[in-house]
């Protein structure tokens, strides 16, 4: 992957963090609701890893948005 595509992925994951904070959720809560460790949520939000599509669908439900909105 190129640096610019990596930067885009990091920006997408930062949006997940922004949405979490806007809604007042903790990383622990998101981890619980998505069935992963809190460390996994930390990695998503830092852009280190990307959640599986099934987890993105769960996040979209939690944040009351679409998967496309999460990744926009």
């Amino acid at each position: 992957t190129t640096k610019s595509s990596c930067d885009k992925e990091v920006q997408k994951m930062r949006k997940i963090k922004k949405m979490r904070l806007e809604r007042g959720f903790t990383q622990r809560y998101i981890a619980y609701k998505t069935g992963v460790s809190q460390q996994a949520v930390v990695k998503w939000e830092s852009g280190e890893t990307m959640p599986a599509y099934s987890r993105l669908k769960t996040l979209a439900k939690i944040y009351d948005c679409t998967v496309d909105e999460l990744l926009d």
Side-chain angles (χ1 to χ4, degrees), residues 10-26:
V10 169
Q11 288 174 349
K12 288 176 186 178
M13 296 302 94
R14 286 190 181 140
K15 183 171 185 180
I16 289 176
K17 179 177 182 177
K18 181 178 183 251
M19 293 176 90
R20 176 180 63 79
L21 293 174
E22 286 173 349
R23 288 156 177 80
F25 297 142
T26 64

Side-chain angles (χ1 to χ4, degrees), residues 31-72:
Y32 171 75
K33 295 298 278 184
T34 56
V36 300
S37 68
Q38 186 175 348
Q39 187 60 33
V41 176
V42 169
K43 288 180 179 182
W44 297 344
E45 292 184 351
S46 70
E48 188 176 334
T49 61
M50 181 89 169
Y53 186 74
S54 62
R55 303 266 194 270
L56 286 170
K57 286 175 30 178
T58 303
L59 286 169
K61 286 180 185 177
I62 294 166
Y63 296 148
D64 193 28
C65 67
T66 66
V67 171
D68 286 343
E69 288 172 316
L70 280 176
L71 300 178
D72 186 20

